[in-house]
Amino acid sequence: MARLLVELGGKRHSKELNWGLTRLGRASDNDIVIEHASISSYHCQFELGLESLTLRDCESTNGTFVNDQRIQEAQLESGQRIRMGQVPALVEWATAQIVVPKIEVQRPPQSESLGNGVMSCRNHPGIASIWHCAACSQFFCIDCTRGVNLVGRPMLKLCPLCSGQVELAPWADGRAKKQSIWGRVKRALNRTIRME
């Protein structure tokens, strides 16, 4: 946060400085407008960064001064007195402390080894995978993949993550064939028991 305390007409006027550039002058399209005969239309500009405040003169007629020295560009300290033409001012600013909150990134689900070289389904850690997607290197059970039927062609199985074509995992040995209704019911019951 930074501000300019302008002394004009026996009063002190507080003007906030923007992050980045703040233009000062008599013209109405400046960020800070000071209507005084010694101020040029586009007199000077302030550049506020995280650790610095720079004052630049914009080729003004009556000059910009820091410690009574005419400047083209100067680094400012907090509490430093400046003068634009015949208008005195005081600069107040402090370096900003930016606190970035720590964000816990949740690890996406991963397949786990079930022993004997068998990997679990990415979405169901306790169930052996049947399908492997070569595109995204993930393993899935029979319930996770999607089937696409094309007329006159065998059904394609697709990856639920990247829509790549999946292939049987090396340990599947044809287990991906359609199970009976009773087999599906048993698998669903086993899954709900594990979840509880």
Side-chain angles (χ1 to χ4, degrees):
M1 179 182 138
R3 64 184 176 157
L4 186 64
L5 301 172
V6 180
E7 297 170 14
L8 195 59
K11 294 182 182 177
R12 221 177 225 192
H13 306 275
S14 178
K15 307 287 186 180
E16 293 290 321
L17 298 177
N18 304 324
W19 285 105
L21 292 179
T22 304
R23 296 178 306 155
L24 182 143
R26 243 185 18 242
S28 62
D29 60 342
N30 284 293
D31 299 304
I32 298 175
V33 177
I34 299 178
E35 294 184 20
H36 190 273
S38 67
I39 300 287
S40 297
S41 294
Y42 301 99
H43 196 94
C44 62
Q45 67 183 17
F46 296 87
E47 184 174 354
L48 178 61
L50 288 177
E51 297 180 359
S52 66
L53 177 60
T54 306
L55 173 61
R56 287 186 195 92
D57 185 72
C58 296
E59 299 179 13
S60 63
T61 304
N62 295 311
T64 303
F65 299 83
V66 175
N67 298 331
D68 292 323
Q69 298 288 319
R70 189 168 185 159
I71 57 103
Q72 288 302 311
E73 182 173 314
Q75 296 293 318
L76 298 178
E77 302 289 330
S78 184
Q80 200 160 23
R81 298 196 64 76
I82 63 173
R83 184 167 45 90
M84 297 143 307
Q86 298 302 315
V87 178
L90 180 72
V91 176
E92 288 184 350
W93 74 284
T95 55
Q97 293 289 332
I98 297 179
V99 178
V100 178
K102 185 176 181 181
I103 299 172
E104 293 290 330
V105 179
Q106 290 186 342
R107 198 175 132 203
Q110 296 290 324
S111 295
E112 299 171 4
S113 175
L114 298 176
N116 297 329
V118 177
M119 297 297 288
S120 72
C121 172
R122 175 188 188 269
N123 300 326
H124 306 103
I127 297 175
S129 62
I130 301 293
W131 299 105
H132 174 252
C133 177
C136 66
S137 299
Q138 297 295 321
F139 295 95
F140 300 97
C141 66
I142 197 166
D143 291 336
C144 288
T145 56
R146 299 174 305 185
V148 175
N149 285 322
L150 299 174
V151 177
R153 296 185 180 211
M155 179 186 282
L156 289 176
K157 288 287 194 176
L158 302 179
C159 173
L161 292 179
C162 70
S163 298
Q165 188 171 348
V166 295
E167 55 195 30
L168 278 174
W171 52 84
D173 294 333
R175 282 188 279 172
K177 293 178 183 167
K178 197 164 188 158
Q179 289 186 339
S180 67
I181 297 286
W182 179 242
R184 289 188 212 167
V185 169
K186 283 187 353 187
R187 190 172 66 245
L189 287 173
N190 285 338
R191 190 174 296 141
T192 54
I193 290 169
R194 280 191 208 112
M195 288 180 166
E196 293 172 356

